[in-house]
Amino acid sequence: MLTPFQRLHTFIQDLRTKGVVSDDECTEMSDCLFELTFDQKTYDHEMNARGVDNNTRSLLCASGMHIVTSQTSRPTVIEPQQVLDAVSKQAEALPAAIPASAPSDAAALQELAELDFDTYHFETWQVPTFMFQMISDPSMKLMSRYKILPTMLQNWIQKTCGLYNNNPYHNVRHALCVTQFVYATLTKGCASQFFNFKDVLCLLVAGVGHDVAHPGVTNAFLAKTNNEWAIRYNDNSVLENLHASVIFQVMSEPNHNFLSGLQRYDYELVREKIIRMVLATDMNHHFSMVEQLQSRVGDFRSGNAFLTDTKHDREKQKSSKNDRRLLMEALLHFGDLNNCHRPWRVYKHLVGLLEMEFHAQGDLERQIGLPVSAMMDRSKDNLIAQQTGWISFVIKPLFVELKVILQTASQQWVEQLENNVETNLQNVKSEIAAKEAKEVEDKAAD
């Protein structure tokens, strides 16, 4: 069910859409709603969630309230049973969030295929609709090919999105950002030619759930604190194992298994691909992935790797199996790191949110007596200043290899990615130089 706040907010927007009230009147009514919400103390400025539902908080933040965590706030580390309880308690999907049988909107899909798509221009409750539109894109024909019932897909998307925590960075908007980047690369970037239909479905589904239930701290933190998740997964890709598990835990709920139309073998294959992709987003596998791509790119240049047009050719599918899986894992991982390939305004905002989350973990580490992790000390670490090394030594090696493959599908798409990352790198350097110059100036003034 929608919260009272959501129902009122949606009602006001509907009045404007139907022409009952003007834009100015709609704004005035919304302002009154927000003021009433604050006056009744149904929203807490410190985001400590006393009596406040997640959807209300998300709506308020999306509506320009600019609520941020205080310096004393810290992430809440979720235990396994809490996640499982949350899955079982969500008995029904929100009925009004996704139209029951609405076709994918062409204008929305066109917007979702652009690199300048900004998830923070939309309200959180709209995210499931975007997810559904991408997976049900009529041009892909995934729904009919795999006998996917729209209501079951909607239920799974809605519940999975609801299990994302309100972390500054690793939240449901990040899930949309990653899924949208993958979708845009497949469509406008024409990368779908390297995959078969199941691959495309798996990529999009993995994007939706790749960080579900993320607690806002790192694998290393969970291991150092002997968290139950770390114990369960033997300190091995703890978060990634959690995300993959929750994806299928939700799917096991009644009326949520949108893959129920698949034959047993096909279901097991899809499950394996999704799990492998989500586990491959662990940064511990980053450089080994780059090395694997390097070894295959040489063969690709000679026409012996990463075959195209495998969708209707069984022999090509068999011979390209390993390459397709490597490329699927690399594309989702690349999507997970896509921030610096966005326009500067989007990139800088996302880095700021990630910094907030890092600093919150650093505060928690200091509070419980652990050494503060690298990049997480708010007293000295500035994440934007560390982006030159991140882009040069982490992002670019991966992009260089993917570029060789992707540019054969769409040179224009690769050029757009390249232009954005180079522009962002130069802007970062300019900001660092300006900051250093200001520090020198201030010292001279003293």
Side-chain angles (χ1 to χ4, degrees):
M1 295 177 61
L2 294 177
T3 66
F5 178 92
Q6 283 180 297
R7 286 198 293 271
L8 284 171
H9 185 271
T10 301
F11 176 69
I12 292 171
Q13 298 303 317
D14 287 344
L15 289 178
R16 178 175 61 177
T17 302
K18 295 174 181 177
V20 177
V21 298
S22 66
D23 288 350
D24 290 341
E25 289 171 327
C26 179
T27 300
E28 184 176 349
M29 293 170 69
S30 295
D31 288 343
C32 289
L33 176 60
F34 295 140
E35 289 172 8
L36 179 63
T37 302
F38 281 101
D39 288 344
Q40 297 299 316
K41 301 184 185 299
T42 56
Y43 180 78
D44 189 293
H45 283 264
E46 298 300 323
M47 294 185 77
N48 60 12
R50 287 196 300 268
V52 183
D53 65 278
N54 294 338
N55 292 320
T56 296
R57 183 191 299 107
S58 298
L59 270 173
L60 287 168
C61 290
S63 300
M65 293 302 175
H66 307 298
I67 307 299
V68 296
T69 54
S70 67
Q71 289 194 0
T72 58
S73 65
R74 58 190 180 90
T76 300
V77 182
I78 310 299
E79 297 299 335
Q81 193 57 46
Q82 290 177 267
V83 175
L84 299 181
D85 289 345
V87 173
S88 61
K89 285 179 182 178
Q90 293 188 31
E92 297 179 358
L94 297 180
I98 304 175
S101 59
S104 297
D105 181 75
L109 289 174
Q110 186 174 359
E111 189 173 2
L112 284 162
E114 299 295 335
L115 268 179
D116 61 358
F117 182 87
D118 186 352
T119 61
Y120 282 84
H121 280 179
F122 304 94
E123 300 189 61
T124 306
W125 59 268
Q126 293 175 282
V127 170
T129 301
F130 289 129
M131 300 293 205
F132 179 78
Q133 287 175 322
M134 288 184 282
I135 296 176
S136 63
D137 181 345
S139 68
M140 295 182 177
K141 300 180 180 178
L142 299 176
M143 303 292 283
S144 58
R145 180 175 294 276
Y146 297 114
K147 302 176 183 177
I148 297 174
L149 295 178
T151 52
M152 286 196 179
L153 176 60
Q154 291 162 2
N155 289 345
W156 178 82
I157 291 174
Q158 190 69 46
K159 187 170 290 188
T160 300
C161 287
L163 289 171
Y164 274 86
N165 293 308
N166 282 321
N167 304 310
Y169 181 79
H170 287 103
N171 51 45
V172 73
R173 292 179 187 272
H174 170 67
L176 175 58
C177 187
V178 173
T179 308
Q180 183 270 331
F181 183 88
V182 170
Y183 172 80
T185 304
L186 291 170
T187 54
K188 192 166 185 178
C190 302
S192 64
Q193 65 183 266
F194 295 106
F195 305 108
N196 66 26
F197 293 108
K198 282 194 188 73
D199 299 337
V200 172
L201 175 63
C202 292
L203 274 162
L204 296 174
V205 171
V208 173
H210 83 281
D211 267 334
V212 63
H214 197 296
V217 293
T218 62
N219 281 332
F221 177 88
L222 295 175
K224 286 189 293 185
T225 55
N226 292 318
N227 179 268
E228 189 176 346
W229 287 119
I231 295 172
R232 174 174 293 192
Y233 296 119
N234 301 310
D235 297 344
N236 182 34
S237 299
V238 179
L239 289 171
E240 292 74 24
N241 273 293
L242 162 64
H243 307 322
S245 176
V246 173
I247 287 173
F248 289 95
Q249 179 71 27
V250 173
M251 212 177 293
S252 69
E253 291 291 302
N255 299 316
H256 288 70
N257 186 8
F258 61 92
L259 299 177
S260 58
L262 297 179
Q263 296 295 322
R264 186 66 196 177
Y265 170 80
D266 290 327
Y267 172 81
E268 291 174 352
L269 186 60
V270 167
R271 173 174 157 81
E272 179 189 358
K273 289 179 178 181
I274 291 172
I275 291 173
R276 284 173 59 109
M277 276 189 286
V278 174
L279 294 182
T281 61
D282 185 348
M283 282 301 300
N284 281 341
H285 305 315
H286 177 81
F287 293 104
S288 62
M289 177 184 289
V290 172
E291 290 177 0
Q292 291 179 66
L293 284 170
Q294 285 174 338
S295 68
R296 294 301 291 156
V297 163
D299 294 327
F300 175 71
R301 288 191 172 100
S302 60
N304 296 320
F306 301 112
L307 300 177
T308 60
D309 302 320
T310 66
K311 291 182 175 64
H312 303 288
D313 190 322
R314 179 64 64 178
E315 291 305 314
K316 274 190 173 183
Q317 287 185 29
K318 290 180 179 178
S319 62
S320 65
K321 175 181 175 180
N322 291 334
D323 281 342
R324 284 187 290 108
R325 293 196 175 188
L326 173 60
L327 193 56
M328 288 168 66
E329 293 166 15
L331 181 54
L332 183 66
H333 180 52
F334 187 49
D336 200 19
L337 306 176
N338 78 84
N339 296 347
C340 57
H341 291 279
R342 301 279 185 176
W344 169 248
R345 60 176 175 78
V346 178
Y347 166 58
K348 187 176 181 181
H349 180 216
L350 294 174
V351 171
L353 295 175
L354 183 58
E355 182 179 68
M356 287 174 59
E357 190 166 304
F358 279 2
H359 285 172
Q361 177 175 323
D363 294 343
L364 178 56
E365 289 172 330
R366 184 179 286 108
Q367 183 175 339
I368 63 179
L370 289 176
V372 178
S373 300
M375 302 186 293
M376 298 187 183
D377 190 337
R378 70 170 65 251
S379 67
K380 64 179 181 180
D381 289 328
N382 183 324
L383 199 57
I384 197 71
Q386 297 164 334
Q387 290 298 292
T388 52
W390 173 257
I391 292 174
S392 300
F393 302 113
V394 178
I395 300 300
K396 280 194 170 182
L398 176 61
F399 179 54
V400 164
E401 304 307 325
L402 285 174
K403 173 184 171 182
V404 176
I405 304 166
L406 296 178
Q407 68 187 359
T408 62
S410 174
Q411 180 67 35
Q412 183 179 2
W413 182 254
V414 169
E415 287 177 357
Q416 193 176 356
L417 293 172
E418 196 162 35
N419 290 338
N420 281 349
V421 75
E422 292 300 331
T423 298
N424 290 335
L425 184 57
Q426 292 307 313
N427 286 341
V428 166
K429 290 179 179 178
S430 296
E431 286 213 354
I432 294 172
K435 182 181 178 182
E436 291 175 347
K438 182 68 167 55
E439 291 174 350
V440 171
E441 183 180 328
D442 290 344
K443 285 183 180 179
D446 292 341

